[in-house]
Amino acid sequence: DDVLGVTPEDALAPFPEEARTEGFTNSAVGLIVSDAYAQAHADLASAIARPLPDWESLLSTHASCQDLQEVMCGESFVASLGAELFRRPLSSREIEDFARIFTSAQAEGLTFGEAAEYALEALVLAPQCIYFLENEGDAVSPREVTGYEMASRLSYLIWQSAPDDELYRAARDGELDAAAGVVHQAERMLGLHAQAKRATERCVRDWFALERLGALMRANVPDQLVADMLLGAVATYQRHVWESG
């Protein structure tokens, strides 16, 4: 939602229900990529790319080239949008690989916008977008977490979403290489309650298995009452976390 403007509800609609591991749906042990899940990813990427609701704005933000037929313009689009989707700057090899999609599509007679749709689809399906990929080093020579990796860790822990511009700036400027910078950003992010409440809402929904509430009620209980009970449970937990001090 924060990168492409696609709402979580729209994004999750085609996916099969996630398996629960010890009550939670985001446990790495239970997050197995089935054939149905992989197909849902492919369908979602295609739906996102053709076309986005605000496609013109996306192009103007990430491809401000004067000549849209220039190879450099395709590379600029990939580097700019890819940095948001991968949550870090792309390597020169990555830019070259994804920009090649532009040249292939345009060689077939597609416009820049149409070629960009294929590039976006490929970026959304790339492992660098879907997963948190970190080179962990080894027991002999462990390495420090990079600023961009720390930005992603903070953002998905506290906001359940991609880093914002301020986090990217802090990563770029080296502020997240120090503990003080990490603490400062964490405090800022927790202060933005609307975003931070995403994580606590998901926690309470999983913790108490609230999505199963309807199945536990008697058959004659109105659906609206079940929905209100669910919202009430979430609101009580949120108030306890965010307003009780």
Side-chain angles (χ1 to χ4, degrees), residues 78 80 90 130 139 141 180 201 233-234:
V78 165
S80 179
L90 273 65
I130 298 173
S141 55
E201 178 174 347
V234 171

Side-chain angles (χ1 to χ4, degrees), residues 12 40 46 62 66 69 74 82 94 111 161 165-166 179 186 201 203 223:
L12 294 176
S46 179
H62 298 287
Q66 296 299 313
Q69 297 301 317
E94 288 171 331
T111 65
S161 188
D165 289 342
E166 172 60 15
E201 178 174 347
C203 177
D223 291 343

Side-chain angles (χ1 to χ4, degrees), residues 7 31 61 88 96 103 109 119 140 149 158 172 188 192 194 218:
T7 65
L31 296 179
T61 300
R88 59 164 175 77
E96 179 182 332
T103 56
V140 177
E149 290 168 346
I158 298 174
R172 184 174 59 252
R188 176 186 71 86
L192 299 173
R218 296 179 183 273

Side-chain angles (χ1 to χ4, degrees), residues 226-237:
V226 175
D228 289 343
M229 292 174 66
L230 191 153
L231 291 175
V234 171
T236 299
Y237 183 80

